[in-house]
Amino acid sequence: MSVLDSKVPKGPLKTKWTDYKNHIDLVNPANKRNIDIIVVGTGLAGGSAAATLAELGYNVKTFCYQDSPRRAHSIAAQGGINAAKNYQGDGDSTYRLFYDTVKGGDYRSREANVYRLAEVSANIIDQCVAQGVPFARDYGGLLDNRSFGGVLVSRTFYAKGQTGQQLLLGAYSAMNRQIARGKITPFNRHEMLDVVKVDGKARGIIARNLVTGEIERHSAHAVVIASGGYGNVYFLSTNAMGSNVTASWKIHKKGAFFANPCYTQIHPTCIPRSGDYQSKLTLMSESLRNDGRIWVPKNLDDVMAIREGKKKPTELSEDERDYYLERRYPAFGNLVPRDVASRAAKERCDAGYGVNATGEAVYLDFAAAIKRYGIEQAKIHNITNASADKIYDLGAAIVKAKYGNLFQMYEKIVDQDPYKTPMMIYPAVHYTMGGVWVDYNLMTTIPGCYAIGEANFSDHGANRLGASALMQGLADGYFVLPYTIGDYLSHDIRTGKIPTDTPEFDAAEKEVTDRINFFINNKGEHSVDYYHKKLGKIMWDECGMSRNAEGLKKAIEEISALRKDFWKNVNVPGTTTEYNEQLAKAGRVADFLELGELFAKDALVREESAGGHFREEHQTEDGEAKRLKEFQFVSAWEYKGEPKDAVLHKEELVYENIEVKERSYK
C-alpha cells in the first residue's frame, strides 16, 4: 500500500487553519476565468462549493441525477445545523464543539479537520442568514438554538423541521445567481459514470444524460465529488431512493482510497418498518428528543396487551413506564448520542419490550412537554385555574410551532395523532461516516480529484453527532474547498483547455458503454430490485449494529455469490436511448454489490466496538447472558475521563481498489 500523506499542517490545532491559509498558493482572479471545475452532486456540499467557486471566477459545471438541485437528499435533513456561536451563553466554544464532535465519533476522526470544521461553523450561520435562510428566532428576534444528542449545550440552529430544505434553497439561490452570470453550467438529469485520468490527474468525467441516454464527455482541471453517502447499500434506509455510491465508487476504482467503509450511522428516531413491501424508511428528526421522552413498558404483560390492541400506551401510569435512557444516562437523558440511543432501543426490543406488531419499536412521548409548555403559556397569558383541556391546547400549539411538519408527516404515514398518543420509533440506517479518503485539502489519492461532504470520511469517526452533517457539507463547500483547491489549481494556470478527444476519454467512454450495453442485452431472470433487497438483508443481518467474525465471513461469501448471480441473471427492460430508471439503478446496484463486500471486509478486520457498531464473537451462552454482554461494552462516549490513546485512538483503515473479477460484460 502507498504511504498516505494527510498534509495536516504542523503547529497547534487552534492555529493550523489560519497559518495554512496564510501560506498556500493562490490563483490570480484574472487566471480563474481560464480554469474549469466539475462538481458532481448539488446538495449542500456540492451546491455551496459550486456557487462559491463560480463567485470566485472559476468556470463550473455541475452534475446531478435529479431534475433540479433542489431535489438533493440534503432537503430531507430536518432538525438543524450546529455552530459554536454560544448565543445561549451556556458555555459553548470552538473547542467545545471540536471536543464533542471528536468524542461523539469515538475518537476516530481526524482532529485537525474537525477543529477546522468547528472553527468555520460560526461563519456558516452568517452566510446563510445573509442568503435569507429563515432560521427560528426567539422572542427578542435573535436566532434561536436547541440541543441535539451528545452535547450539554444548545448550539443547533434550525428552521422548524425543514432546516435542510431551507439551507439547500439558500445554496441553490447562490447557484442560480452564478448560472445567470454564465459561471455555472448545470447538467441536471445527468449521472457521472466514470472519472477520466490524464497523466495521473483527474481531468474530466463520463456522464450519461438520463433523459436521452446519450453518453457525454466533460473535461476540467479538477473534479469535485459531492455525491453524498451510501446508506442505500442496506436497501432500507432513510436515504432518498436514488441516493447511491456510484460517483465515489468510480473514483475508488480509478485509484481513490476508501476509508472506514463499515462506519454507518444507525439513527435512533425513525418510523418503524411495517412490512416487507417497503422501499425506504422515514426519519423523524433527532430534535424531537429535546421534548419527547423515550420509554417502553416495564412489564411484559403490558407489552403484549399493547401489541394485541387490548391496551393503549396512554393508559399506563408513570410507574409502569421505563424511561430507560433517563435511567441509564441521567446527565444526558434522552439526548444521548445517536449510537447510544440506537443501541439502547435495540437492546430493549431484543429483550422483548418492543411495542408494535413486529416487536421493533419504542415510544417517543410528548405528553409531558405539552403539559409543561401549556402550564408555562397559561402563566404568560395570566390564565388562572386553567383547565386541563386549555393547558393541552396551549402546550400543543407550542409543540406544533416547533415540530408541526414532523408531526404531520408522522400522522400521514402511521395514521396516528402523535399529539394524542406517543410516536413509535426504531433505529434505521441513516448516514455513512466512512467514505473516500481525503487529505487536509479534501483531495483524494487521485491528484485533482476532491471529495466533500458525506462523500468523504474525515470528520465524524465512528458516529456522527446530530446536526453536524449540514455543518460539514456547508463548511467544506463555502469555507474549505475554495481555499484548498486554489493551491492545486495554481499550477494549472497555463495548462489551457483540457481536450476530450484523447485516448483516455475514448477508453473511459468505451468501458461505460460496454457496461450499459451488457445490462440491456443480458436476458436474465431477476429484476434489479431482487438483488438490491437480497444485498440489503445480508448487510442488515450480518453488518448491522451487531457484528461478529462468523457472520461477516458469511456475508462476504454471500455477497460474492450474489454478485456473480447478478452479472449472470439480472434483467433490465427498455432501451439505452430513453429515460430508463431500471438501467440507471442496475449500475448503482452493481456498485453497491462491490461496496458491500469491501464494507464486510472492513468490519471483519475491526476487532473492536466503536460508535454504533458492536463487535461480538460467537457465543454459546444463553440468550439473556449473550444480550447483556452484547450491549454492555464501553464505547468512547461512555468512557469516563480523557481518552486513552492506546485504547481509544485508532488510525483510519484505508483501502485501495479491491479486485473485482466478475466483469462478464467485458
Side-chain angles (χ1 to χ4, degrees), residues 63 187 189-194 196 205-218 500 505-517 519-520 575-578 583-584:
F63 294 81
F187 290 88
R189 286 292 188 198
H190 281 66
E191 183 166 29
M192 170 190 160
L193 295 180
D194 210 349
V196 180
I205 66 170
I206 304 296
R208 179 171 181 264
N209 183 322
L210 294 175
V211 177
T212 67
E214 183 181 359
I215 304 300
E216 301 175 2
R217 304 179 181 192
H218 296 273
T500 59
F505 276 90
D506 291 343
E509 182 176 332
K510 183 180 185 305
E511 186 172 349
V512 166
T513 303
D514 288 349
R515 179 171 158 124
I516 289 172
N517 289 336
F519 286 133
I520 291 297
T575 69
T576 63
T577 57
E578 62 181 340
L583 176 58

Side-chain angles (χ1 to χ4, degrees), residues 71-350:
R71 304 281 189 191
H73 185 57
S74 300
I75 204 172
Q78 299 165 349
I81 176 171
N82 289 331
K85 276 187 169 292
N86 195 32
Y87 278 2
Q88 303 294 313
D90 55 1
D92 202 10
S93 64
T94 296
Y95 178 81
R96 176 71 65 176
L97 175 52
F98 156 74
Y99 176 79
D100 287 344
T101 304
V102 172
K103 184 180 182 184
D106 261 349
Y107 300 96
R108 286 160 173 83
S109 312
R110 182 186 290 149
E111 294 181 356
N113 289 56
V114 177
Y115 195 91
R116 176 176 63 188
L117 174 66
E119 198 174 347
V120 304
S121 66
N123 298 336
I124 298 171
I125 305 304
D126 298 337
Q127 172 91 358
C128 294
V129 168
Q131 290 174 338
V133 173
F135 286 120
R137 295 178 180 268
D138 63 18
Y139 180 77
L142 299 177
L143 297 182
D144 198 13
N145 292 133
R146 56 189 177 198
S147 293
F148 262 58
V151 303
L152 295 173
V153 298
S154 292
R155 66 161 65 100
T156 305
F157 295 78
Y158 64 98
K160 216 170 190 179
Q162 308 167 353
T163 314
Q165 179 181 8
Q166 299 303 328
L167 291 170
L168 186 62
L169 289 174
Y172 180 61
S173 67
M175 282 184 64
N176 271 340
R177 178 171 180 272
Q178 301 306 322
I179 292 171
R181 294 179 62 221
K183 297 304 294 181
I184 291 180
T185 305
F187 290 88
N188 302 341
R189 286 292 188 198
H190 281 66
E191 183 166 29
M192 170 190 160
L193 295 180
D194 210 349
V195 65
V196 180
K197 291 167 61 176
V198 180
D199 296 329
K201 298 179 180 180
R203 291 303 199 190
I205 66 170
I206 304 296
R208 179 171 181 264
N209 183 322
L210 294 175
V211 177
T212 67
E214 183 181 359
I215 304 300
E216 301 175 2
R217 304 179 181 192
H218 296 273
S219 66
H221 297 88
V223 175
V224 179
I225 303 300
S227 53
Y230 46 86
N232 277 352
V233 70
Y234 285 88
F235 185 72
L236 283 180
S237 79
T238 66
N239 286 211
M241 289 295 293
S243 296
N244 61 82
V245 75
T246 291
S248 295
W249 196 248
K250 295 310 182 190
I251 67 170
H252 171 58
K253 296 181 79 167
K254 286 293 181 70
F257 290 3
F258 240 74
N260 305 342
C262 80
Y263 280 164
T264 306
Q265 181 163 80
I266 313 296
H267 198 292
T269 51
C270 300
I271 296 178
R273 179 180 64 88
S274 57
D276 293 334
Y277 57 85
Q278 278 184 254
S279 56
K280 80 177 297 295
L281 298 171
T282 304
L283 171 72
M284 298 305 294
S285 170
E286 181 176 318
S287 63
L288 295 171
R289 291 198 275 144
N290 273 272
D291 288 311
R293 301 179 71 194
I294 296 173
W295 63 276
V296 293
K298 286 182 178 178
N299 303 313
L300 287 172
D301 290 343
D302 289 333
V303 172
M304 297 310 300
I306 288 173
R307 287 188 193 175
E308 295 167 3
K310 298 177 181 178
K311 213 169 199 178
K312 296 180 179 179
T314 51
E315 295 174 359
L316 269 63
S317 67
E318 286 289 295
D319 291 341
E320 295 172 314
R321 303 178 180 192
D322 178 15
Y323 295 96
Y324 57 88
L325 291 179
E326 298 174 25
R327 169 171 58 82
R328 294 180 184 178
Y329 310 103
F332 287 80
N334 295 293
L335 282 172
V336 292
R338 290 176 177 178
D339 59 321
V340 178
S342 295
R343 198 164 62 244
K346 185 176 187 297
E347 184 274 326
R348 287 290 79 196
C349 291
D350 287 354

Side-chain angles (χ1 to χ4, degrees), residues 331-535:
F332 287 80
N334 295 293
L335 282 172
V336 292
R338 290 176 177 178
D339 59 321
V340 178
S342 295
R343 198 164 62 244
K346 185 176 187 297
E347 184 274 326
R348 287 290 79 196
C349 291
D350 287 354
Y353 291 87
V355 294
N356 68 346
T358 66
E360 295 179 335
V362 299
Y363 286 127
L364 181 62
D365 196 337
F366 287 84
I370 290 173
K371 183 176 181 180
R372 183 177 74 252
Y373 284 128
I375 292 172
E376 182 182 276
Q377 288 298 305
K379 291 181 178 179
I380 289 172
H381 292 92
N382 200 27
I383 302 173
T384 57
N385 299 319
S387 66
D389 288 343
K390 183 63 176 178
I391 288 174
Y392 171 83
D393 290 341
L394 291 170
I398 297 299
V399 171
K400 184 176 182 180
K402 297 178 74 173
Y403 312 112
N405 62 305
L406 301 173
F407 277 53
Q408 182 184 40
M409 183 171 67
Y410 180 89
E411 186 171 4
K412 283 186 176 182
I413 294 172
V414 182
D415 196 26
Q416 291 182 3
D417 183 354
Y419 293 98
K420 300 288 180 63
T421 189
M423 288 184 181
M424 288 184 290
I425 58 169
Y426 192 72
V429 172
H430 182 49
Y431 187 93
T432 49
M433 285 79 64
V436 181
W437 184 91
V438 293
D439 62 19
Y440 191 71
N441 296 317
L442 304 182
M443 190 190 291
T444 71
T445 45
I446 299 176
C449 184
Y450 293 78
I452 61 175
E454 190 179 357
N456 77 36
F457 88 102
S458 64
D459 290 20
H460 305 297
N463 174 58
R464 175 178 65 79
L465 291 184
S468 287
L470 306 186
M471 177 176 62
Q472 186 207 349
L474 292 181
D476 286 355
Y478 281 138
F479 299 110
V480 179
L481 181 73
Y483 280 100
T484 61
I485 200 170
D487 188 49
Y488 172 79
L489 292 173
S490 64
H491 304 287
D492 262 328
I493 59 176
R494 297 187 182 276
T495 301
K497 202 79 172 173
I498 306 295
T500 59
D501 55 346
T502 62
E504 292 86 355
F505 276 90
D506 291 343
E509 182 176 332
K510 183 180 185 305
E511 186 172 349
V512 166
T513 303
D514 288 349
R515 179 171 158 124
I516 289 172
N517 289 336
F518 165 82
F519 286 133
I520 291 297
N521 295 325
N522 191 59
K523 304 304 178 184
E525 303 173 3
H526 303 300
S527 69
V528 177
D529 261 9
Y530 168 87
Y531 291 99
H532 197 181
K533 288 178 180 178
K534 281 187 170 294
L535 173 64

Side-chain angles (χ1 to χ4, degrees), residues 582-656:
Q582 286 304 301
L583 176 58
K585 184 162 187 181
R588 296 166 190 169
V589 172
D591 295 331
F592 277 138
L593 284 163
E594 294 179 5
L595 166 72
E597 188 170 341
L598 178 63
F599 191 119
K601 288 179 176 178
D602 179 33
L604 180 61
V605 300
R606 290 182 181 276
E607 297 179 356
E608 60 169 358
S609 294
H613 316 120
F614 173 74
R615 179 65 184 266
E616 51 130 350
E617 301 314 324
H618 179 67
Q619 305 285 341
T620 57
E621 307 163 55
D622 63 79
E624 177 68 10
K626 180 180 176 182
R627 179 180 60 79
L628 288 174
K629 177 174 287 189
E630 177 175 338
F631 288 98
Q632 286 180 349
F633 76 87
V634 178
S635 73
W637 184 83
E638 295 162 309
Y639 177 75
K640 309 304 180 186
E642 291 300 310
K644 295 179 180 178
D645 289 351
V647 177
L648 297 175
H649 281 277
K650 191 177 183 76
E651 290 298 319
E652 61 263 18
L653 290 181
V654 184
Y655 294 87
E656 296 184 64

